[in-house]
Amino acid sequence: MIKVDVRRKAFGEEEVLRAIRFEMETGETVAILGPSGIGKSTLLRLIVGIDTGFEGKITRPEKIAMVFQEPVLLPWRSVVENLTLVHPQLGTQAALSALERTGIADKAGLFPGQLSLGQQRRLALARAFAGRPELLVMDEPYVSLDPAMAEDMLSLTEALIAETAPAVILVTHSEAEARRLARRCLRLAGKPATIIEEFAAKPASDGWEGHHDRA
Amino acid sequence: MDCSCTLNKTLQHPALVRALSLGLLLLLWIAAAALTADASVLPQPWALWTPFLQALGSGALPYHLGMTLWRVVCAFVPAMIIGVAVGFLMGRFASVDRWLDPWLVVFLNLPALVLIVLCYIWIGLNETAAITAVVLNKIPNVATLLREGTRALDPNLDSMAAVYRMRPLARLRHVIMPQLAPFIAASARAGIAVIWKIVLVVEFLGRSSGIGFQIHFYFQLFNVAMVLVYALSFIGVMLLVEALFLQPAERRVRRWRTA
Ligand SMILES: Nc1ncnc2c1ncn2[C@@H]1O[C@H](COP(=O)(O)OP(=O)(O)OP(=O)(O)O)[C@@H](O)[C@H]1O
Ligand SMILES: [Mg+2]
């Protein structure tokens, strides 16, 4: 169970978030939509607990994973070490099978800089799921990808979510993306930003509508 | 054309260029010595060979070299440790920076000589004073560089380490240190170069051993050859230290970039 209750978040004088309240069940996926600069990344930092300077209260599980807009890897450590150093409880065998699952097992000994961007993102996904997170937070993970690669990563994410069943919070510009993964969508707007709309995403049978409808 | 091409290529070989450039310096020295025409002021390079063998044979050169090297090490290690720690804290915490920055400015602008003299007066003409003076001279430079390095730390990696709840020690070793390594390496190289020069001054002013002391001694005898022998021997040793320890260490921390 995840409870988010942010009464106020400000940077100095600039109030960014106000009265943001929602709850999630384990296994549920919620999408957060909103224009650029509204405070989505800020909200995620509060939710995962790396920014504690706000008024309000957030109840979160122990094991959290995050996928960033960029892969954010340790370029000076090998691919497999990028898993075992971040998840020390994970043995090398488990790390290798996590790489296997994301299709980059043959790259285990390389440095991240030797991977293609797509492979780096797969590594970031492997790292997120390897710790069997109870909460997975994704901050525009598919932005800046070409449609084919976005589709690739999206289906891989879908499959991994189905296997691991974490609660998922997905920040995105794309309603199509939100619909594909999430049951519920929250829309942020205003200054300071707050939830102006909550709507149920249509079932995935609508299909992938492409990557063009930026909010 | 073929020939000039090969010549051009050979001239791009870094080791060769190095050797040629050093050879040029040597030529300059020979020319200057010939023009001076007074071996007591500037002897020819080859005229140093006999005094060198003499100093080596008597055991004086190895002994004083060893003493200076020992002082360099004794000053280098604490200066690096304290400088890295202070610089890291200043780069990381704005409040620490606000408090310590004025000190840094003062110490950076304090002439090495003043610190040395004051240390000798306050602590006494002993080894502790000598090492302390050198350490105090070096800390501000290391701290300044490391503060820059810490400010340049990637905030995304910081967030990643925090979200995944990496342990503090693992974070330090695998997230922070690799980013600081180039700054530590740069300050170590600059540090060694400055430290040994300051150690020489410290020895010149108040020690009875070491290269600096020997240079003082031969300076009073107007024995330029010996002064040059001791100075050049130490430069040779420091170049060796650089080639054998510092450069390989730097290559190792940069390995992931070139892979
Ligand atoms: N560390 C900070 N200090 C000051 N202001 C900040 C800081 N981080 C974010 N802000 C401000 O908060 C607001 C929200 O930023 P945030 O990054 O959360 O937006 P976003 O919705 O994620 O945008 P995007 O979709 O472009 O990523 C912006 O106006 C930004 O300038
Ligand atoms: Mg953002």
Side-chain angles (χ1 to χ4, degrees), chain A residues 9-12 14-17 34-45 51 69 139-140 171-173 188 191:
Chain A
K9 166 68 189 173
F11 291 107
E14 188 194 355
E15 193 174 345
V16 178
L17 303 173
S36 181
I38 193 82
K40 305 182 296 294
S41 298
T42 304
L43 177 60
L44 290 190
R45 294 176 63 82
D51 183 349
Q69 201 170 314
D139 193 353
E140 306 188 47
V171 159
T172 175
H173 286 295
L188 291 186
K191 185 136 191 62

Side-chain angles (χ1 to χ4, degrees), chain A residues 129-142:
Chain A
F129 284 96
R132 305 215 134 250
E134 298 155 278
L135 169 62
L136 170 65
V137 171
M138 302 205 274
D139 193 353
E140 306 188 47
Y142 315 112

Side-chain angles (χ1 to χ4, degrees), chain B residues 79-131:
Chain B
M80 284 304 292
I81 292 175
I82 299 172
V84 167
V86 169
F88 178 72
L89 292 176
M90 290 179 78
R92 199 77 175 181
F93 304 105
S95 54
V96 178
D97 189 42
R98 270 195 296 279
W99 276 100
L100 288 187
D101 186 58
W103 291 30
L104 211 58
V105 175
V106 169
F107 275 88
L108 273 175
N109 288 294
L110 199 61
L113 197 59
V114 175
L115 262 176
I116 296 168
V117 169
L118 288 179
C119 277
Y120 275 146
I121 292 175
W122 289 337
I123 305 177
L125 271 179
N126 54 36
E127 214 58 52
T128 316
I131 303 289

